[in-house]
Amino acid sequence: MATCFCCPKPRYKRLVDGLFPEDPQTPTPVSANMDKLLFFAQTSPDHLDNIGEYPALRLRRSLQREKNGHVALQVTEKLLSACDSQKLQLIVDSYLDILHNMLETSNTERPPIRL
């Protein structure tokens, strides 16, 4: 889905999109972009709910296309570990949504779930 130059994607979406590797079978996010997203999340806590929801949306799209969804899970786990306790609730709902969607899929290759 392309956007016009007058309506660019929000920064958090560009940062999350940059985490997903070119090869859909690569199970890890791009680390340099992960650092940028974590810094953005810490400096802009008002965007945390959107930052948490967008990987869940990307996961649903990936699973519909029968692609690997491990990156979305790892992104949300790192966001959870980086958040302070007062902002944690904004990310937890998205994390649980991602876990639910991954458990519902028929994909037998699942990453280990760390709680």
Side-chain angles (χ1 to χ4, degrees):
M1 177 197 296
T3 58
C4 64
F5 67 92
C6 65
C7 306
K9 278 187 180 180
R11 179 161 171 77
Y12 71 90
K13 285 186 178 182
R14 290 187 311 236
L15 289 170
V16 171
D17 286 342
L19 294 171
F20 288 83
E22 293 292 323
D23 179 20
Q25 297 305 319
T26 305
T28 57
V30 179
S31 62
N33 293 338
M34 188 68 215
D35 295 336
K36 290 177 187 178
L37 180 67
L38 290 175
F39 179 76
F40 181 73
Q42 290 172 348
T43 57
S44 302
D46 52 324
H47 292 288
L48 270 177
D49 54 343
N50 294 329
I51 294 170
E53 289 173 5
Y54 192 60
L57 175 67
R58 288 286 308 254
L59 173 75
R60 283 192 293 274
R61 284 190 213 146
S62 295
L63 293 177
Q64 287 173 351
R65 296 177 186 140
E66 298 180 4
K67 292 183 180 177
N68 191 337
H70 300 165
V71 173
L73 182 63
Q74 291 177 10
V75 167
T76 311
E77 284 177 349
K78 289 187 181 189
L79 283 170
L80 278 171
S81 64
C83 285
D84 59 349
S85 60
Q86 295 148 347
K87 305 288 183 188
L88 199 59
Q89 185 61 34
L90 297 171
I91 304 283
V92 169
D93 293 333
S94 299
Y95 182 71
L96 294 175
D97 187 36
I98 287 173
L99 286 177
H100 182 261
N101 286 329
M102 288 190 77
L103 291 173
E104 279 186 340
T105 63
S106 60
N107 186 359
T108 57
E109 283 187 39
R110 293 189 182 125
I113 297 174
R114 297 180 301 260
L115 297 177

